[in-house]
Amino acid sequence: MKIAIAGAGAMGSKFGWHLKKAGNDVILIDTWDRNIAAVRENGVVARVKNEEIAEKMPIYSPSEIDEQKENVDLLIVFTKSMQLENMLNSLKPIISKDTYVLCLLNGLGHEDVLAKFVTRDHIIMGVTMWASMMTAPGHITFANENGNVEIQCLDPKGKDETKEIVKILSDAELNACYSENVMYSIWRKACVNGVVNALCALLGANCKEFGHTKEADELTRNIVQEFADVAQYEGVNLDRSEVIQHVESLFDTPHYPSMYQDLVQNNRPTEIDYIDGAVWRKGLKHSVPTPYCAFITRLIHAKEDILKVK
Ligand code: NAD
């Protein structure tokens, strides 16, 4: 199976590294010139238990993808949410009617973007609890040792092929399973991101500092409530108290979530429009009030402006 990974940042490089190490035919596609140059020179270098292990694989910029390149059987997208559509547009030469596209991005609504490029029976949605960080171009470090991947094809017609992809991921030590309700897991994870990622980025706090404030419980309840109210209209019935408990289980972790890292540490744009912002937009569509999500989205954008990230 020929596999392409679009977006060779922290997660795309991690998945590429594992899949290549397990013997798969993998190419990377990325937009960051310094990263492309570093991977061309040394491969993807992963720090594993104080050891640096390099995996060499081809890497291209989107402008180098043309009709000359072979179609791929599986395209795993790992861009940031706002880069997804442009990336897919530039990959049209290697996407055929037989290409499966697997999306493991955080956030909501990516299936609508994917549907512009492949049919529903070739769209595989998923969530992953693996975490990774880029320490320099071409260099990653794994942020946890016990992650997993949960995936499901949007149309049952693609179930058997998706189960084959589960096996390929698991054989590459990515601990995958087939989900019967992946949209639930996607919304559940979006709740975590919608509360801790957004609020830690706004407050300049880690999960533990935020979680130990007097306001944390009330804020969490209200935000999860809005996600759940909107999710219902999208066919997903979130178990509110379980999701709140799940979010609050992070309140003892002194971890700075990725939106904090993007905005505060690296002055990069955030994925807020695909998390709280997506709930706000979908709420407007379904006439569901989402004042917390709207306010948080506007505050994050204001902070992006102040920090001149755009
Ligand atoms: P990332 O920012 O590391 O990489 C995304 C893209 O941005 C890549 O093309 C990368 O080359 C580019 N990039 C990274 N740093 C850059 C820089 N300094 N200058 C220019 N370009 C740069 O993103 P990620 O963490 O791999 O996340 C991809 C998706 O996966 C997102 O939707 C994210 O929310 C989700 N996700 C991330 C993690 C994680 O632990 N990192 C875990 C689960 C899901």
Side-chain angles (χ1 to χ4, degrees), residues 268-280:
R268 296 181 66 207
T270 70
E271 295 183 296
I272 195 72
D273 285 337
Y274 303 84
I275 306 172
D276 307 69
V279 172
W280 175 22

Side-chain angles (χ1 to χ4, degrees), residues 179-289:
S179 167
E180 293 298 339
N181 192 1
V182 83
M183 294 316 285
Y184 187 99
S185 304
I186 289 173
W187 274 87
R188 183 174 183 263
K189 190 171 188 204
C191 287
V192 173
N193 297 143
V195 177
V196 291
N197 274 37
L199 294 179
C200 288
L202 283 172
L203 297 169
N206 63 34
C207 299
K208 188 169 181 176
E209 288 165 339
F210 162 64
H212 286 219
T213 65
K214 286 197 219 54
E215 301 300 330
D217 286 346
E218 187 71 10
L219 284 165
T220 303
R221 263 200 302 280
N222 281 295
I223 298 166
V224 171
Q225 182 71 44
E226 289 183 7
F227 273 67
D229 289 347
V230 172
Q232 258 182 350
Y233 284 86
E234 302 270 316
V236 175
N237 283 313
L238 289 175
D239 175 345
R240 288 153 217 237
S241 50
E242 187 280 325
V243 174
I244 289 168
Q245 250 181 27
H246 175 53
V247 174
E248 294 187 342
S249 69
L250 298 174
F251 286 1
D252 275 327
T253 330
H255 164 72
Y256 287 93
S258 60
M259 202 179 291
Y260 174 96
Q261 293 172 28
D262 286 337
L263 184 59
V264 182
Q265 290 178 333
N266 301 320
N267 278 17
R268 296 181 66 207
T270 70
E271 295 183 296
I272 195 72
D273 285 337
Y274 303 84
I275 306 172
D276 307 69
V279 172
W280 175 22
R281 257 190 335 273
K282 287 172 186 290
L284 287 173
K285 184 172 103 189
H286 300 301
S287 303
V288 177

Side-chain angles (χ1 to χ4, degrees), residues 27-59:
I27 64 167
L28 303 176
I29 300 131
D30 202 40
T31 47
W32 186 16
D33 291 344
R34 286 178 57 208
N35 191 42
I36 294 172
V39 173
R40 280 196 179 140
E41 193 169 340
N42 301 313
V44 172
V45 182
R47 174 159 282 279
V48 189
K49 295 183 183 140
N50 293 328
E51 197 189 342
E52 291 206 320
I53 305 176
E55 279 297 330
K56 284 239 170 196
M57 62 201 99
I59 183 164

Side-chain angles (χ1 to χ4, degrees), residues 9-11 30 32 78-80 106 130-132 189 268 271:
M11 292 299 283
D30 202 40
W32 186 16
F78 255 133
T79 60
K80 289 290 197 191
N106 282 331
W130 290 111
S132 177
K189 190 171 188 204
R268 296 181 66 207
E271 295 183 296

Side-chain angles (χ1 to χ4, degrees), residues 64-71 92-94:
E64 293 169 318
I65 298 295
D66 54 31
E67 311 297 337
Q68 306 303 316
K69 302 268 178 316
E70 263 177 76
N71 288 340
K92 278 181 181 167
I94 57 166

Side-chain angles (χ1 to χ4, degrees), residues 136-195:
H139 286 70
I140 51 170
T141 179
F142 302 156
N144 60 359
E145 286 181 8
N146 294 309
N148 67 343
V149 183
E150 211 183 302
I151 66 176
Q152 182 182 26
C153 185
L154 285 190
D155 187 313
K157 273 196 273 176
K159 185 169 180 174
D160 289 347
E161 289 77 3
T162 304
K163 284 191 165 175
E164 279 175 35
I165 293 164
V166 164
K167 179 160 180 349
I168 288 169
L169 294 171
S170 288
D171 288 348
E173 298 186 344
L174 287 162
N175 189 22
C177 69
Y178 191 85
S179 167
E180 293 298 339
N181 192 1
V182 83
M183 294 316 285
Y184 187 99
S185 304
I186 289 173
W187 274 87
R188 183 174 183 263
K189 190 171 188 204
C191 287
V192 173
N193 297 143
V195 177

